[in-house]
Amino acid sequence: MTTPSPAAHRPAPFGDPRRLVRVGLLAGAVGALTLVEPRRLGPLGRGAYRVGVAAVSGLLAADTARTSGALLDPVRDGVVTGGATLGLMDLAEAADGLLVDFLRRAGVSRPRPVLAAVGVVGTVAAYALPGPLGGERWGSLEEVFSESETQELPAEARALLEALLAPGPDGVDLPGAAALREQLETVRAVDPGYATSDLPLEVAAPRRRAVPHQQTWPVTGRFRRGGRDYALELTISEGALAMLSVMLGEEPSDTLDDPYLDRALEEMASPGFLLPDPGELVLHRETEG
């Protein structure tokens, strides 16, 4: 279950003045660190140098991560890159020394400024070049941490929420159902920016909140797709509608092998996965006992 991205195209790499500042700062940091000769540093100086190289590597990896190449997400990719860089500094410094010595033997009188210039150009290129295999660039670091964009809740999702929140066959509401139905007037869908079977929801300043504030709604809607059983679940956070999720339904234990799970999860996250009509749902209500 996916929601359409609010932006079809990312801005040019240097269109944002703040991004231009970051490019300049990181390129300058790369150049400055390349000018340092680590073989001349004492223990404290070398430790500070290594931490600086790892930090710049992590920030650069995070701020230039692309959707087609990121291992996890921009922030965690940056942390992993910085940690790996710090762990490989012995090898990196040895390779750096060999390269500097080779350039000197080749007749370059000042190899470090040359390498620093190459590092600056490479840093700028990391921002300017398109993603590998045409991949789209992740948002910048401030976009990763900024509030997600919202959009109007799709009609099919609203109908499913109404089905889950409807009174029971006896006409009696579950506790909090009336407050949650009132929130349907202002609830919006949050664009997560990637394919997922979860639809995040946002209710700005709800007038009434459900109690308990944190809960999985005790009504699930079960349905079938492609011969598989699925369950539609609603999560409540701080007394407000928070997440509509498609989960794998209960299957016989002998069918839950890895290939089955991989195929099912891939289908759930694909843009072609269709939400059920409310009439397809078999509602299951939790009861005491």
Side-chain angles (χ1 to χ4, degrees), residues 39-58:
R39 291 177 290 188
R40 297 178 182 174
L41 298 175
L44 292 179
R46 177 166 290 189
Y49 165 79
R50 291 185 172 189
V51 170
V53 171
V56 171
S57 298

Side-chain angles (χ1 to χ4, degrees), residues 110-243:
R110 301 184 64 189
R112 288 219 166 268
V114 173
L115 292 176
V118 172
V120 170
V121 172
T123 302
V124 175
Y127 282 90
L129 294 178
L133 305 179
E136 180 184 355
R137 185 188 296 272
W138 279 94
S140 60
L141 284 179
E142 70 268 16
E143 290 173 327
V144 172
F145 287 110
S146 66
E147 184 177 344
S148 300
E149 296 190 40
T150 64
Q151 56 197 25
E152 185 176 352
L153 185 68
E156 60 270 27
R158 183 179 299 275
L160 293 171
L161 289 171
E162 290 173 347
L164 295 177
L165 297 172
D170 55 3
V172 177
D173 268 336
L174 289 171
L180 295 174
R181 285 199 299 270
E182 181 179 298
Q183 294 175 14
L184 289 175
E185 300 175 4
T186 57
V187 66
R188 292 180 64 82
V190 179
D191 176 22
Y194 53 87
T196 175
S197 60
D198 296 333
L199 178 60
L201 305 169
E202 181 179 290
V203 181
R207 190 177 69 87
R208 300 169 62 192
R209 296 178 184 269
V211 178
H213 283 185
Q214 307 295 133
Q215 61 171 303
T216 299
W217 188 242
V219 179
T220 58
R222 300 180 186 178
F223 64 98
R224 289 185 68 82
R225 278 284 182 276
R228 298 190 179 96
D229 290 329
Y230 295 92
L232 197 66
E233 295 186 356
L234 174 61
T235 302
I236 309 302
S237 178
E238 297 182 0
L241 301 167
M243 183 84 73

